[in-house]
Amino acid sequence: MSTQRRLTTTSYALLSQLSLRPWSTYELAGQSARYFRYVWPRAESAIYREVKQLAKAGLVDGRKEYVGRRARTVYSISKAGLAELREWLDTPPSPFAMEFEGMLRLFVAPVAEAGQVEAALKQVRADNQEMLTFAGEVKQEYLDGRGALQDQVYVRALAIDFFANLLNTVDDWAARALDEIARWDSHSVEERNERAMSILAQVPVDTPAQPTTETPVVPDSQRRSARYPRG
Amino acid sequence: MSTQRRLTTTSYALLSQLSLRPWSTYELAGQSARYFRYVWPRAESAIYREVKQLAKAGLVDGRKEYVGRRARTVYSISKAGLAELREWLDTPPSPFAMEFEGMLRLFVAPVAEAGQVEAALKQVRADNQEMLTFAGEVKQEYLDGRGALQDQVYVRALAIDFFANLLNTVDDWAARALDEIARWDSHSVEERNERAMSILAQVPVDTPAQPTTETPVVPDSQRRSARYPRG
DNA sequence: TAACGTATACTATCGTTTAGAGTATGTCAA
DNA sequence: TTGACATACTCTAAACGATAGTATACGTTA
């Protein structure tokens, strides 16, 4: 019953899912692979490990069921689990983070062979297309009334809206970047840099009013765990 | 000299940085904290560990320098390292991935107390503002001609363009989502779901032409390591 | 001139997480 | 009855993160 170990966001992600309805571990792993993968990617084995620990901590109840001779465990959230979940909801979420190897490829451009960076960015667009196709399928599932947790479309629609827009933004950028790269061959580094300055000037973000007195330090919005501040 | 262990993307990120010029480990850790953090976030200790292994594998050369009695090691890429890097550039990049706890918070909305999800999304916007401020500072640094690797603005400008657009997209979404959440109080779940259907219909992604015969399986664009396919 | 705070430059350790393979049972179609 | 595929997990090495700790250098202030 007592919560020994500190819970991770992965714990809460599972508690969240289980707060909506009971699931078997296999189903949870499936949901993770199909949907959660995009916002909170975790290995399949981590799901199995994690629910077991949640059960040990008394935050979820496991019930063995049988399909023929094959057993499976169906979990549901416990009162203690729901309380934990509610407490988590009073803490600020950890900030948006990403891994984008495509950008690493771009950074090596000065020492890459012609075409290598281009190929990487084309791959980025291909991946994006694949994900957009998936998003389109999910959109259609909900429009057809056969989406997962269809009774919560009012929540899920916002998630689909998020992804479609995000993927389009990334794709638009990749297209722009490919356009620029195509010009590199016929321009010197100096010419490219001059052009870059006007691209920079048009980047949709305000520059600081007073010149930053010195190079700002390491960004701080790292991991958080405290409650929301005062108001 | 022989590469025993399989290199990770973290290895290649460091090789990339070292291919542009030599850096001390401390500088590499600093660059990682300041810039790479956003595309390939790794712990400081991981940087120190990794360069040492790259040195052991003969992919980088370390030279001890002294400031008084305090030693530091400055690394530069070796021929073998450059060859490895070039091979990596011939492999497709791993797909874009993210962690977005804010979305997890949204998913629990049906069991959350009023205001909890709203607070989470406001935090998302605050974090975004912070990152946008940082992007603005970096933009100004390059416009002033004092950015890191300023002679490569033609590459770095594209990265700043990426971030500004991405952050704006996330922020716009969060604002839209907050607008929707504000309506929840005065509407039943049925009314919310009805509204969600029209939001869904306007999501900027095409739905599949032929109805997806069955629920599509686990997305495949998982980790890759092979070369680009044929042509 | 001593003390203090901050930046530099790391090392060490422990626990967690991932990737990937492996095991075993059940279902269905050819 | 064989094989493909889905279900339902377990196991392990290597990668990674968090945290603490050590030590030197340098500038400011008391």
Side-chain angles (χ1 to χ4, degrees):
Chain A
M1 198 50 106
S2 63
T3 312
Q4 316 284 18
R5 163 191 95 104
R6 221 171 93 269
L7 298 178
T8 64
T9 301
T10 306
S11 322
Y12 292 112
L14 286 169
L15 276 182
S16 298
Q17 191 72 353
L18 289 168
S19 75
L20 304 176
R21 75 165 180 82
W23 305 79
S24 77
T25 329
Y26 185 75
E27 284 176 311
L28 286 173
Q31 290 293 306
S32 174
R34 191 165 154 79
Y35 303 111
F36 281 63
R37 174 181 197 287
Y38 296 103
V39 275
W40 201 256
R42 287 299 174 261
E44 195 200 8
S45 54
I47 311 297
Y48 285 96
R49 187 188 329 128
E50 191 62 39
V51 274
K52 269 198 274 182
Q53 280 172 331
L54 289 176
K56 208 185 289 174
L59 302 174
V60 301
D61 300 318
R63 215 204 345 239
K64 265 219 163 104
E65 291 189 358
Y66 284 88
V67 181
R69 292 204 293 127
R70 188 169 54 196
R72 69 166 173 183
T73 317
V74 175
Y75 289 95
S76 48
I77 198 166
S78 71
K79 258 192 191 134
L82 202 54
E84 269 286 342
L85 185 64
R86 293 232 161 90
E87 274 193 51
W88 175 64
L89 289 173
D90 277 329
T91 66
S94 63
F96 184 91
M98 63 181 153
E99 286 191 353
F100 186 27
E101 199 182 303
M103 189 61 80
L104 297 182
R105 305 303 182 103
L106 184 59
F107 285 160
V108 226
V111 300
E113 288 163 36
Q116 288 185 317
V117 178
E118 194 191 335
L121 289 183
K122 281 183 175 162
Q123 184 65 55
V124 167
R125 296 198 71 187
D127 287 345
N128 257 275
Q129 276 316 308
E130 205 179 309
M131 289 193 263
L132 269 169
T133 300
F134 175 67
E137 283 167 4
V138 175
K139 173 183 169 181
Q140 191 60 56
E141 280 171 28
Y142 283 97
L143 284 174
D144 292 351
R146 59 194 168 87
L149 300 171
Q150 177 74 34
D151 52 316
Q152 292 168 16
V153 214
Y154 72 100
V155 165
R156 307 279 153 161
L158 296 177
I160 297 169
D161 177 49
F162 174 80
F163 281 105
N165 279 287
L166 187 103
L167 292 170
N168 284 326
T169 298
V170 174
D171 195 60
D172 289 351
W173 171 80
R176 280 201 304 282
L178 279 166
D179 270 1
E180 284 307 311
I181 290 173
R183 286 169 212 269
W184 287 355
D185 280 340
S186 52
H187 289 78
S188 69
V189 169
E190 288 71 31
E191 288 169 321
R192 295 181 209 168
N193 281 346
E194 219 167 307
R195 209 182 136 77
M197 290 311 246
S198 68
I199 289 174
L200 252 192
Q202 283 164 43
V203 166
V205 59
D206 290 336
T207 49
Q210 60 239 40
T212 44
T213 39
E214 56 189 66
T215 26
V217 271
V218 176
D220 41 317
S221 66
Q222 215 83 325
R223 60 214 53 265
R224 261 188 304 256
S225 55
R227 303 251 152 178
Y228 287 105
R230 51 248 99 88
Chain B
M1 198 52 107
S2 62
T3 313
Q4 315 285 18
R5 163 191 94 106
R6 219 171 95 267
L7 298 179
T8 64
T9 301
T10 307
S11 321
Y12 291 113
L14 286 168
L15 277 181
S16 298
Q17 191 71 352
L18 289 167
S19 75
L20 303 177
R21 74 166 179 80
W23 305 80
S24 75
T25 330
Y26 186 75
E27 284 176 312
L28 286 173
Q31 290 294 304
S32 174
R34 190 166 155 78
Y35 303 110
F36 281 63
R37 177 181 196 288
Y38 296 102
V39 275
W40 201 257
R42 287 299 174 261
E44 195 200 7
S45 57
I47 310 297
Y48 284 95
R49 190 171 29 211
E50 190 62 38
V51 273
K52 270 198 273 183
Q53 281 173 330
L54 289 175
K56 208 186 288 174
L59 302 174
V60 301
D61 300 319
R63 213 201 350 237
K64 266 216 163 105
E65 292 190 356
Y66 285 89
V67 180
R69 294 201 294 126
R70 188 169 56 196
R72 70 165 174 187
T73 318
V74 175
Y75 289 95
S76 49
I77 198 164
S78 70
K79 257 191 192 134
L82 202 54
E84 268 286 342
L85 185 64
R86 291 232 161 87
E87 275 193 51
W88 175 64
L89 289 173
D90 277 329
T91 66
S94 63
F96 182 93
M98 63 182 152
E99 286 191 352
F100 186 26
E101 201 184 301
M103 190 61 80
L104 297 183
R105 304 304 182 102
L106 183 59
F107 286 159
V108 225
V111 299
E113 289 162 36
Q116 288 185 317
V117 177
E118 193 192 337
L121 288 183
K122 283 185 174 161
Q123 184 65 54
V124 167
R125 296 198 70 186
D127 287 346
N128 256 274
Q129 275 318 308
E130 205 180 309
M131 289 194 263
L132 270 170
T133 300
F134 175 68
E137 283 167 4
V138 175
K139 173 182 170 183
Q140 191 60 54
E141 279 170 29
Y142 282 96
L143 285 175
D144 292 350
R146 60 193 167 87
L149 299 170
Q150 176 76 32
D151 53 316
Q152 292 168 19
V153 213
Y154 74 99
V155 165
R156 307 281 152 159
L158 296 177
I160 297 168
D161 178 49
F162 174 80
F163 281 106
N165 279 286
L166 188 103
L167 292 170
N168 284 325
T169 298
V170 173
D171 195 59
D172 289 351
W173 171 80
R176 279 201 303 283
L178 278 166
D179 270 0
E180 284 308 311
I181 291 173
R183 285 169 214 269
W184 286 356
D185 281 340
S186 53
H187 289 79
S188 69
V189 170
E190 287 70 32
E191 286 169 321
R192 296 181 208 169
N193 281 346
E194 216 166 309
R195 207 181 139 78
M197 290 311 245
S198 68
I199 289 174
L200 252 191
Q202 284 165 43
V203 166
V205 59
D206 289 338
T207 49
Q210 61 240 36
T212 45
T213 38
E214 56 189 65
T215 28
V217 270
V218 176
D220 40 317
S221 67
Q222 216 83 325
R223 51 219 57 264
R224 264 188 303 256
S225 55
R227 304 251 151 178
Y228 288 105
R230 50 248 101 88

